[in-house]
Amino acid sequence: MKLKSNLTLITLLLFSFALFSQTKITGKVTDGATGDPLPQVTIQVKGTSLGTTTDFDGNYAITLKSKSGTLVFNYLGYKNQEIKTDGKSIINVTMIEDASTLDEIVVVGYGTRKKSDVTGAVSSVKSEELNAFPVLNAGQALQGRAAGVVVQSNNGGEPGAPIKIQIRGNTSINASSAPLIVVDGFVGAVMPQPNDIESIEVLKDASATAIYGSRGSNGVVLVTTKKGKKGRLSIEFNTNYSVQNTSNKLDLLDANEFATYQKLINSNYIQQSENTDWQDLLYTTGLTENHQFSFSGGTDKINFYASATYFNQDGVIMNSNFNRLSFLTNIDAQVTDKLKLGLNLFGSRGAKNGVPTQSTGETANGGGDDVVSLTFRFSPDLGIKDANGLNTVNNIGDDVDNPYAIANESVNEAKTDNFRANFYANYDILENLTFKTTAGFSSTNETEGLFRPSTLITTAGGNTGGRAIVGSFKRTNILSENYLTYNKEIGKGNLTLLAGYSYQKNSTQRFAAGAQGFTSDSFSYHNLEGGAVQLIPTSSLTESEIQSQFGRLNFDYDDRFLLTATVRRDGASNFAANEKYAIFPSAALGWKMSNEKFIQDIEAITNLKLRASYGVTGNQAISPYQSLARFNNIYSVLNGQTVSAVTPDQAANPNLKWESSYQTNIGVDLSLLDNKISLSLDYYNIDTKDLIINDSSQPEYFGFLTPASLRNVGEVNNKGFEISINTRNISTENFRWTTDFNWSTNKNKFVTLLDGQDIFLDASPGYFNIDRTHVLREGEAVGVFWGYEYKGVYQGGSLPAGTALLPGAAAGDQLFADVDGSGDISPSDQKIIGDPNADWSIGITNNFTYKNFDLNIFFQGVNGGDIMNLTNVQLFNGDSNATKDILNSWTPSNTNTNIPRAKLRGKEISSRFVEDGSYIRLKNIALGYTFPQEVTEKLGMDNVRLSISGQNLLTFTNYSGLDPEVSYFGSGGGNSSDNNTFNGFDFGNYPTVKSVNFSLNIRF
């Protein structure tokens, strides 16, 4: 018993001694220049993992295990400070700006540079901007954040929809205009999720992009993911939930209005008994959730960062959803003083369940496989089922199933797996010479299943007893890059040399099979062998390789004059034997005028730099084998038997070569009043020559199935201005206000094109039965609209001068401009009627902080850019429902209107349906609150932040459609992410959504 008492006494004494030896230190950290408090300063006990950060008011508190120790204060842009505690309980610290670290480091191709030493046009977007509001793809967060960068979803707010990014306009026609994505040095990578990204750099001019040679003409997006840092283990959890709704609906006729309208067209029309709002039936409340967990840390020898993210979105159209699970891991190890190794791993699994939208009208009768356009077209006096319990079919116009049945019964499923591994080794050969080698592998595997059941009467499924198709897609990418970097101070100058070799190989495998005529719809697409008719299967393998040598020279003299010169030689298997190799050089000069004596005396100027660059970049983003003669499989009859055969498909072009962009950039970087105002201004001019265009001039009697073949014919010019302004408007102890503003313009036109010949294209749904909606023409912008010039409603009597009517027209019908003066309207009266290219785009972000509250307000918009409203072409045609505007159509008693009389008419493309696409949108507004440090300490946490935000809440526009951000590509559009001429068309897009989001961030 006595022993137990003694042990208890000893334990109490030791515990008391431990408490007595602990020291709690508090204090405040301020800016030495302004006296303002500094939030989020890192304070760490030297030699331990113990640490904390300052709160918004610069206050901190930390408990040491003993009276003696050293606190290390670290804050970006300021000199590190080490202060011995020596038994003190209060330590206040004044941080001093460090000119060497205040100058931000930005990532460039195969290296980094101080921002003040960059001679090219580079825009940076940091992590906090990428995560200002929830997005699936980090590329979406670039919209309105970087001048000269246009970002758009390929299908509105569809869950899992890909996005399209363009930098400085269309520089190609048939090749892709998408920028090159480089993630942690891996060329052509999949973008990681936003919370894992440290920063994004957008390389825009040739000086910045020529190091990537044949893949740099469309710009380069460099993504740097988060890394671990030396110190204690850091754990972070981010979660958010969003509630989403359609941002707009069309004001359509109800059943009674519809019947009245149809009786004007057909007096025998019999109104049905229902009154169905198809938009209300299909549209629902969407929900999005996103959860991310990460942990990171490190020592002197190794650091790591790892995260896992789950994203799930239920769309605003019934039965449309997407979910994705992804992970990312970064490990960096300093093995020896000379050798550093690193490994980057990324993987994701995405599953998309969709409904058919953006119908081309090629795969079903009358475009009947597009639920969005059908909600507008379908008769409102019909219900979901008819008297026999079958799905209703439209009672006017095309025989199409009702949209509810298609959305509820059709199956569109896709599963996509992405994996990427990138290993690097960095070895310091000599004091100034470093060698880096990387080896990377990535793969994308996608399976897709489509099923149209027999219950859908008029679609491909209903006509054939059910139709199922299964497809698979696999792409692998192998990358090896090796380069030397040499740094040397030469007198007042600093020389950096880079030389390297790169090899990359892509392989793509595709397979598809299908069947129709099933005895049961129960198995969806999982029972192809049960189909009475087996569709012809298809499979393919394509491979492409590119090998390159590249080099760069940077020379900075006296911290005033800057020189950058790059060259890359690429060889690509995509091109013909005579043109597989090309060289892409660039050069840039910079002058830091603010370091000249005659500028240094001007106190208002903190930094002033002039930049000028010129270079050549290429575009080889075409499919493999396009230069080769091709054969196609056909079936023939021999001796009464069906046999396989081949026929010539495409003629060879042994001289097909790269598109080359010759780009000039002149820029100014200016900072005023101790960096309170920072401005960047750029002017660029890009001439893209040897455009790769489909030439259809080959005579049909040559016998090729595809008369069009790719040729290098044409030149397009893009020019414009870009302005970026960042201001620190107010900075006091409790309140801060900053503004980021960017504005950019782009003008493009064809300089030469196929010996001056016009190229006519069609982006309308196939069932429109027209063949021209836009044109490529010398001297005009890319993809200008083509059609008749609408001159109002004919009132009867003599025709106004310069106008004519379509054959059979009468009073109340459309008047068009008689361009050829023939007295009637024919295709020869068609002309250019609109330009889809915007005049300028803008982004404005205001950030406010007051004590522990923060507010972000982000507006984004464009001016100009016409829209061809193909939806209205359909709705004012007389063979479908219509908007309520049709109630103001011309009648003998209502002649003061611009809407022609109600009748069945052809789907003529005219300026009547061309509208101004200008808009300003409140893209995001977010209010956040960070809990005080004394609260988080009690919770055992480093940081807790709550926020509520709203996206797309307000849009100011005169466009009459659902949304001015349109992206329909129609029957001729091909791959919407690559096509550059099908811009500004609106028909059946998945609606844009507005959302309210609730977020929580916790860091341990």
Side-chain angles (χ1 to χ4, degrees):
M1 187 70 180
K2 183 177 181 180
L3 176 62
K4 183 176 180 181
S5 300
N6 290 337
L7 287 174
T8 303
L9 178 61
I10 292 171
T11 302
L12 289 172
L13 288 173
L14 290 174
F15 183 70
S16 301
F17 177 77
L19 289 176
F20 180 75
S21 63
Q22 288 184 342
T23 301
K24 183 175 182 180
I25 300 174
T26 61
K28 187 170 187 175
V29 182
T30 56
D31 185 318
T34 64
D36 293 336
L38 292 178
Q40 297 301 312
V41 176
T42 300
I43 303 117
Q44 191 160 352
V45 180
K46 190 173 182 178
T48 74
S49 61
L50 182 62
T52 187
T53 58
T54 58
D55 62 14
F56 182 83
D57 297 318
N59 298 315
Y60 75 94
I62 190 169
T63 302
L64 278 65
K65 294 181 179 179
S66 64
K67 291 184 177 181
S68 62
T70 301
L71 298 182
V72 180
F73 294 80
N74 179 272
Y75 193 62
L76 181 63
Y78 293 78
K79 293 180 180 179
N80 283 1
Q81 292 200 45
E82 296 188 7
I83 300 177
K84 293 183 178 181
T85 58
D86 294 334
K88 300 174 184 175
S89 60
I90 299 177
I91 298 178
N92 296 320
V93 178
T94 300
M95 301 292 284
I96 306 301
E97 287 187 356
D98 185 351
S100 62
T101 58
L102 187 61
D103 199 352
E104 180 185 355
I105 300 297
V106 297
V107 179
V108 295
Y110 303 101
T112 59
R113 297 280 288 168
K114 289 195 301 183
K115 189 172 183 180
S116 63
D117 292 341
V118 171
T119 54
V122 179
S123 293
S124 295
V125 182
K126 298 307 178 186
S127 176
E128 54 270 22
E129 296 175 276
L130 296 173
N131 293 289
F133 57 93
V135 292
L136 170 63
N137 189 310
Q140 294 171 275
L142 292 176
Q143 186 179 43
R145 303 287 188 183
V149 180
V150 176
V151 180
Q152 188 175 39
S153 167
N154 278 345
N155 194 19
E158 180 188 24
I163 63 168
K164 180 177 181 179
I165 302 175
Q166 279 193 340
I167 300 174
R168 293 186 166 181
N170 292 329
T171 57
S172 184
I173 303 303
N174 281 98
S176 172
S177 272
L180 180 68
I181 307 295
V182 181
V183 179
D184 291 328
F186 196 101
V187 178
V190 175
M191 194 88 78
Q193 67 93 30
N195 279 326
D196 286 331
I197 295 176
E198 186 68 33
S199 69
I200 292 180
E201 270 75 35
V202 182
L203 312 184
K204 296 183 284 190
D205 74 331
S207 172
T209 63
I211 195 68
Y212 290 101
S214 64
R215 291 174 287 189
S217 65
N218 301 321
V220 180
V221 178
L222 299 179
V223 180
T224 303
T225 58
K226 293 179 179 179
K227 310 289 184 182
K229 298 177 182 179
K230 177 183 175 182
R232 66 189 181 95
L233 181 67
S234 176
I235 299 174
E236 188 166 354
F237 177 67
N238 293 283
T239 184
N240 64 67
Y241 290 87
S242 297
V243 179
Q244 301 173 330
N245 288 285
T246 56
S247 60
N248 196 9
K249 292 182 181 179
L250 292 185
D251 192 12
L252 300 172
L253 302 178
D254 63 25
N256 292 329
E257 294 166 333
F258 173 76
T260 301
Y261 165 54
Q262 285 299 316
K263 287 177 181 178
L264 292 175
I265 301 171
N266 177 11
S267 59
N268 295 322
Y269 181 81
I270 300 175
Q271 182 177 352
Q272 303 301 305
S273 59
E274 301 291 335
N275 185 14
T276 306
D277 188 325
W278 295 104
Q279 292 182 100
D280 281 351
L281 270 181
L282 260 77
Y283 295 158
T284 184
T285 298
L287 297 173
T288 296
E289 56 179 316
N290 189 50
H291 313 290
Q292 189 236 9
F293 174 82
S294 68
F295 59 97
S296 62
T299 66
D300 290 332
K301 295 297 185 180
I302 190 169
N303 59 64
F304 64 90
Y305 173 87
S307 80
T309 303
Y310 175 73
F311 179 93
N312 181 70
Q313 180 180 4
D314 292 324
V316 296
I317 292 181
M318 60 180 296
N319 294 330
S320 63
N321 60 76
F322 175 83
N323 65 77
R324 185 178 69 184
L325 179 65
S326 61
F327 71 86
L328 182 138
T329 301
N330 285 323
I331 302 174
D332 300 279
Q334 191 71 50
V335 181
T336 69
D337 291 341
K338 290 181 173 290
L339 179 63
K340 186 176 183 179
L341 302 179
L343 179 65
N344 172 268
L345 298 174
F346 170 80
S348 68
R349 155 59 71 97
K352 179 180 178 180
N353 297 314
V355 292
T357 59
Q358 288 213 11
S359 168
T360 66
E362 297 291 336
T363 58
N365 178 34
D369 55 347
D370 171 11
V371 299
V372 176
S373 67
L374 287 178
T375 61
F376 311 150
R377 297 167 56 193
F378 206 84
S379 302
D381 58 354
L382 292 174
I384 299 172
K385 301 289 184 178
D386 63 16
N388 298 317
L390 301 177
N391 294 324
T392 54
V393 176
N394 212 13
N395 56 2
I396 60 168
D398 298 307
D399 293 332
V400 291
D401 289 281
N402 73 71
Y404 182 89
I406 294 175
N408 195 47
E409 298 177 16
S410 62
V411 177
N412 291 38
E413 295 179 349
K415 292 180 174 63
T416 304
D417 295 323
N418 282 295
F419 174 76
R420 181 179 72 250
N422 199 26
F423 169 83
Y424 79 85
N426 196 91
Y427 185 73
D428 296 332
I429 301 173
L430 300 171
E431 182 180 355
N432 300 320
L433 181 64
T434 300
F435 173 71
K436 185 172 185 178
T437 181
T438 67
F441 171 82
S442 71
S443 68
T444 300
N445 292 275
E446 180 177 309
T447 59
E448 183 176 13
L450 304 177
F451 183 68
R452 300 293 182 264
S454 58
T455 53
L456 297 177
I457 300 171
T458 66
T459 66
N463 292 331
T464 58
R467 182 183 180 95
I469 298 175
V470 177
S472 68
F473 164 92
K474 179 180 181 180
R475 173 177 292 156
T476 59
N477 189 339
I478 298 173
L479 173 68
S480 173
E481 295 194 306
N482 310 271
Y483 53 95
L484 292 161
T485 305
Y486 177 76
N487 292 287
K488 179 68 174 178
E489 289 188 10
I490 303 175
K492 293 184 177 181
N494 189 297
L495 174 68
T496 303
L497 296 175
L498 173 77
Y501 170 82
S502 174
Y503 172 81
Q504 192 163 18
K505 180 178 180 179
N506 286 285
S507 299
T508 303
Q509 294 176 273
R510 298 178 187 272
F511 171 79
Q516 60 190 32
F518 297 93
T519 56
S520 171
D521 293 330
S522 301
F523 299 100
S524 185
Y525 58 84
H526 300 293
N527 184 34
L528 294 185
E529 67 274 19
V533 178
Q534 297 295 312
L535 304 179
I536 298 173
T538 62
S539 62
S540 66
L541 169 66
T542 59
E543 295 181 328
S544 63
E545 296 175 277
I546 181 169
Q547 59 178 345
S548 314
Q549 302 84 39
F550 55 89
R552 180 171 59 215
L553 177 150
N554 292 105
F555 186 69
D556 310 337
Y557 179 74
D558 197 25
D559 202 26
R560 291 186 297 153
F561 303 108
L562 309 170
L563 169 65
T564 302
T566 64
V567 64
R568 183 166 180 134
R569 179 179 182 265
D570 280 337
S573 64
N574 288 11
F575 290 95
N578 299 342
E579 299 288 350
K580 286 193 179 298
Y581 293 90
I583 296 175
F584 303 96
S586 77
L589 297 173
W591 180 19
K592 293 183 178 180
M593 293 182 65
S594 52
N595 289 344
E596 300 289 352
K597 292 182 179 179
F598 64 89
I599 296 292
Q600 289 177 338
D601 293 335
I602 305 175
E603 293 184 1
I605 297 178
T606 308
N607 175 64
L608 175 60
K609 180 176 65 176
L610 302 183
R611 297 177 280 107
S613 69
Y614 179 80
V616 184
T617 51
N619 191 344
Q620 48 87 30
I622 62 171
S623 300
Y625 319 129
Q626 296 298 301
S627 66
L628 304 179
R630 292 206 312 256
F631 290 83
N632 204 346
N633 299 309
I634 63 170
Y635 289 96
S636 185
V637 177
L638 181 64
N639 297 325
Q641 299 292 322
T642 301
V643 297
S644 297
V646 294
T647 187
D649 181 39
Q650 174 184 281
N653 180 2
N655 298 310
L656 185 67
K657 63 180 180 180
W658 325 77
E659 295 181 344
S660 296
S661 294
Y662 300 79
Q663 182 169 175
T664 300
N665 193 96
I666 299 173
V668 178
D669 297 327
L670 174 65
S671 296
L672 302 172
L673 306 174
D674 292 327
N675 295 313
K676 289 184 178 179
I677 301 174
S678 299
L679 177 146
S680 289
L681 172 65
D682 283 273
Y683 166 78
Y684 64 88
N685 185 83
I686 309 172
D687 289 304
T688 303
K689 301 181 180 181
D690 299 317
L691 289 179
I692 299 174
I693 297 176
N694 268 316
D695 180 10
S696 303
S697 62
Q698 182 173 261
E700 292 186 7
Y701 58 75
F702 277 15
F704 293 98
L705 285 180
T706 306
S709 59
L710 295 182
R711 289 177 54 199
N712 296 105
V713 184
E715 176 183 345
V716 67
N717 174 265
N718 284 268
K719 64 180 63 174
F721 289 93
E722 297 170 353
I723 298 175
S724 297
I725 302 175
N726 310 103
T727 61
R728 291 186 294 169
N729 307 314
I730 298 176
S731 181
T732 66
E733 183 175 353
N734 291 323
F735 180 72
R736 295 180 184 180
W737 171 29
T738 64
T739 300
D740 297 326
F741 169 88
N742 68 79
W743 176 90
S744 59
T745 180
N746 177 270
K747 297 290 185 183
N748 65 32
K749 70 173 183 178
F750 285 106
V751 179
T752 59
L753 187 64
L754 279 177
D755 301 321
Q757 300 178 18
D758 291 343
I759 300 177
F760 291 100
L761 301 169
D762 175 30
S764 67
Y767 75 92
F768 273 26
N769 293 321
I770 57 178
D771 59 2
R772 295 180 178 184
T773 56
H774 55 300
V775 65
L776 311 182
R777 171 178 286 182
E778 281 188 7
E780 298 291 343
V782 175
V784 290
F785 299 142
W786 184 261
Y788 299 106
E789 183 182 354
Y790 182 61
K791 289 294 187 179
V793 179
Y794 174 50
Q795 301 294 338
S798 59
L799 292 171
T803 65
L805 299 169
L806 289 168
D813 282 327
Q814 304 172 95
L815 273 173
F816 297 111
D818 184 12
V819 175
D820 64 3
S822 64
D824 56 16
I825 295 301
S826 66
S828 61
D829 292 304
Q830 293 177 342
K831 55 181 288 191
I832 293 173
I833 56 175
D835 181 358
N837 301 283
D839 296 327
W840 49 260
S841 60
I842 191 173
I844 305 172
T845 303
N846 282 283
N847 289 294
F848 305 89
T849 56
Y850 176 72
K851 293 187 176 181
N852 288 49
F853 290 93
D854 59 87
L855 176 66
N856 173 279
I857 304 175
F858 172 36
F859 282 92
Q860 173 267 331
V862 300
N863 181 70
D866 293 325
I867 296 175
M868 174 64 74
N869 193 337
L870 295 174
T871 299
N872 277 354
V873 175
Q874 168 67 69
L875 297 187
F876 286 89
N877 184 57
D879 65 352
S880 70
N881 198 6
T883 63
K884 292 187 186 296
D885 293 334
I886 202 71
L887 299 176
N888 190 36
S889 59
W890 187 95
T891 65
S893 60
N894 182 40
T895 59
N896 187 24
T897 178
N898 200 41
I899 301 176
R901 67 189 177 101
K903 63 174 286 189
L904 287 174
R905 54 173 49 88
K907 296 179 175 66
E908 297 90 5
I909 301 298
S910 74
S911 59
R912 175 186 172 198
F913 303 110
V914 175
E915 301 184 46
D916 181 12
S918 302
Y919 71 90
I920 290 290
R921 170 168 287 156
L922 177 57
K923 193 70 177 179
N924 181 64
I925 181 168
L927 177 65
Y929 178 76
T930 302
F931 283 76
Q933 189 174 3
E934 55 267 24
V935 175
T936 57
E937 278 188 348
K938 292 179 181 179
L939 297 174
M941 302 174 183
D942 286 344
N943 187 79
V944 179
R945 181 178 182 272
L946 291 170
S947 68
I948 180 172
S949 63
Q951 291 77 48
N952 301 328
L953 297 184
L954 294 173
T955 300
F956 304 95
T957 183
N958 291 324
Y959 179 57
S960 66
L962 286 178
D963 191 82
E965 288 191 77
V966 296
S967 55
Y968 179 68
F969 292 86
S971 58
N975 188 334
S976 58
S977 64
D978 291 343
N979 201 287
N980 308 304
T981 62
F982 292 71
N983 297 320
F985 293 94
D986 184 9
F987 186 84
N989 297 344
Y990 197 104
T992 298
V993 299
K994 58 182 178 181
S995 60
V996 176
N997 179 72
F998 304 90
S999 298
L1000 169 66
N1001 169 264
I1002 301 174
R1003 188 173 68 248
F1004 296 90

